[in-house]
Amino acid sequence: MTDPKGTSMRAVVVTDFDTEPRLTDLPIPEPGPGEVLVRLAAAGVNPFDWKVVEGIMRGSVHHSFPLVLGSDGAGTVERVGEDVVLEPGDRVFGQFMDVERGRGSYAEYAIAKAAKLARLRADLDFELAAALPTAGAAAHDFVEATGVGPGQTLLVNGASGGVGQAAVQLAVGQGVRVIATVDPDTAGYLRELGAAETVDFTEAPTADQVREAHPDGIDAIVDLISTPGEIEPIAALLKRNGVIVSSNGAVDPEVLATRGLRGANVYANAQPATLASLADSVAHGQLRVRIDYQVPLEEAADALARSKQGKARGKTVLSIS
Ligand SMILES: NC(=O)c1ccc[n+]([C@@H]2O[C@H](COP(=O)([O-])OP(=O)(O)OC[C@H]3O[C@@H](n4cnc5c(N)ncnc54)[C@H](OP(=O)(O)O)[C@@H]3O)[C@@H](O)[C@H]2O)c1
């Protein structure tokens, strides 16, 4: 628990790249101008969190250690800095990661820029809200970047995980015909979410199965799996002028253009308006968020190790208070 004087908090930190996350006590930070101190109730786990520990941004951005891990969080505003419209007691959610200042959401308290937080509807709980920011905003931005519309066919490669499940539902909601990659355990669930077709990626290569079912090609792809150098068999499924969006920087738009295809590497931007709209969709039953693993903050290191091993069938959430 936080100390009785209220000056320190528990947080999950790493002291360097490639070190083990551990629970420690840190001073509760003070919000500066435009910033908000949030008493977190829950934090969402994303693959990006362990990729940060592995150094995905090493060399491109300064990291301050000890570095509090975690991007996504939801909780109650505790204190605000100058020029902030939010007030103590407001329920909020959003992204908290700021590696340059060693800040993150796996903690009892975290600072965020007020401009990065959305107010949380009263009818949504903190755990669901903490599961939304990165995966929901990514799904939103990726589907939007494809530009697919009603009646067109979209393959979501990686549909069984957190981003994929949301992307399937957001596309289906726009009248898109979705092909979802699944394993045997998630096939039924992805159908429930509206996927018109499922492809079991554990059976045979996804590209081979989609090619067999769609010899004339498909309109669009959201690829959450391929890394640079791996995208070709998936991109080759597209019709002429088809579009592929990669979450992992795997697309070379210029190479695709020479073949009459379009492509983009998209990095999600969790704008408060997007977050609020995602929360509305959850509240209205249009977007289901499956939390498949929920543990206390103390077990963050295990939760990260589990995320890294794969087999995600929804979101992982850390309960904080
Ligand atoms: N660019 C951005 O802004 C952005 C934002 C969010 C996420 N991302 C990235 O997008 C990726 C997905 O994120 P996430 O949060 O959805 O991850 P996740 O929850 O871990 O889900 C990944 C899913 O993909 C499945 N999978 C693994 N190999 C597959 C294959 N060959 N074919 C089809 N499915 C396969 C996994 O199942 P198994 O483990 O059983 O194989 C798992 O269900 C991650 O690399 C993440 O870092 C990027």
Side-chain angles (χ1 to χ4, degrees):
M1 292 298 290
T2 311
D3 74 275
K5 289 186 199 147
T7 57
S8 77
M9 64 175 188
R10 293 178 312 151
V12 176
V13 304
V14 286
T15 50
D16 202 345
F17 295 111
D18 291 318
T19 56
E20 276 299 304
R22 62 183 175 81
L23 192 68
T24 191
D25 286 332
L26 288 180
I28 296 176
E30 273 304 313
E35 293 180 341
V36 177
L37 176 71
V38 178
R39 180 160 43 84
L40 290 164
V45 174
N46 292 284
F48 193 67
D49 303 348
W50 52 260
K51 292 182 186 182
V52 166
V53 181
E54 290 187 344
I56 191 170
M57 295 190 291
R58 193 176 196 163
S60 58
V61 184
H62 168 73
H63 293 56
S64 286
F65 295 100
L67 172 66
V68 180
L69 298 178
S71 171
D72 296 355
T76 308
V77 173
E78 181 78 9
R79 284 194 285 283
V80 299
E82 288 165 37
D83 303 324
V84 171
V85 178
L86 289 164
E87 292 178 355
D90 285 348
R91 302 170 85 241
V92 292
F93 70 119
Q95 290 182 323
F96 292 79
M97 185 185 287
D98 180 350
V99 297
E100 291 185 76
R101 294 201 267 178
R103 293 171 173 175
S105 64
Y106 294 4
E108 288 176 315
Y109 291 86
I111 300 263
K113 290 196 176 79
K116 294 283 288 177
L117 293 176
R119 279 200 169 85
L120 178 60
R121 309 167 51 108
D123 56 359
L124 225 64
D125 65 35
F126 287 126
E127 283 74 17
L128 272 180
L132 269 181
T134 296
H140 170 273
D141 291 359
F142 297 162
V143 171
E144 191 168 74
T146 65
V148 278
Q152 291 193 296
T153 299
L154 167 77
L155 167 67
V156 178
N157 190 28
S160 46
V163 178
Q165 291 181 9
V168 167
Q169 296 174 80
L170 295 176
V172 167
Q174 293 168 31
V176 175
R177 199 174 179 286
V178 175
I179 308 169
T181 55
V182 296
D183 68 295
D185 290 342
T186 48
Y189 184 63
L190 266 296
R191 290 266 188 193
E192 266 180 47
L193 297 184
E197 288 176 44
T198 55
V199 171
D200 183 347
F201 69 87
T202 67
E203 275 283 309
T206 296
D208 294 354
Q209 297 183 67
V210 175
R211 162 80 54 220
E212 199 178 332
H214 298 270
D216 297 331
I218 58 175
D219 301 300
I221 299 167
V222 168
D223 189 298
L224 308 169
I225 301 302
S226 307
T227 52
E230 290 179 353
I231 200 98
E232 179 46 33
I234 295 290
L237 296 169
L238 291 170
K239 286 178 184 163
R240 189 165 178 79
N241 207 33
V243 57
I244 180 164
V245 168
S246 165
S247 68
N248 293 334
V251 156
D252 185 334
E254 286 177 16
V255 170
L256 290 176
T258 62
R259 292 158 46 198
L261 302 175
R262 293 172 296 135
N265 299 305
V266 175
Y267 299 94
N269 186 357
Q271 291 294 328
T274 305
L275 296 179
S277 139
L278 290 163
D280 288 347
S281 298
V282 173
H284 297 147
Q286 295 154 343
L287 176 63
R288 282 163 69 179
V289 176
R290 184 197 238 188
I291 296 177
D292 74 341
Y293 194 60
Q294 185 167 343
V295 290
L297 182 65
E298 294 83 342
E299 292 175 37
D302 287 347
L304 279 173
R306 191 175 180 273
S307 164
K308 195 170 163 179
Q309 278 165 11
K311 306 291 173 224
R313 299 295 175 253
K315 292 293 302 173
T316 294
V317 169
L318 306 174
S319 306
I320 298 177
S321 53

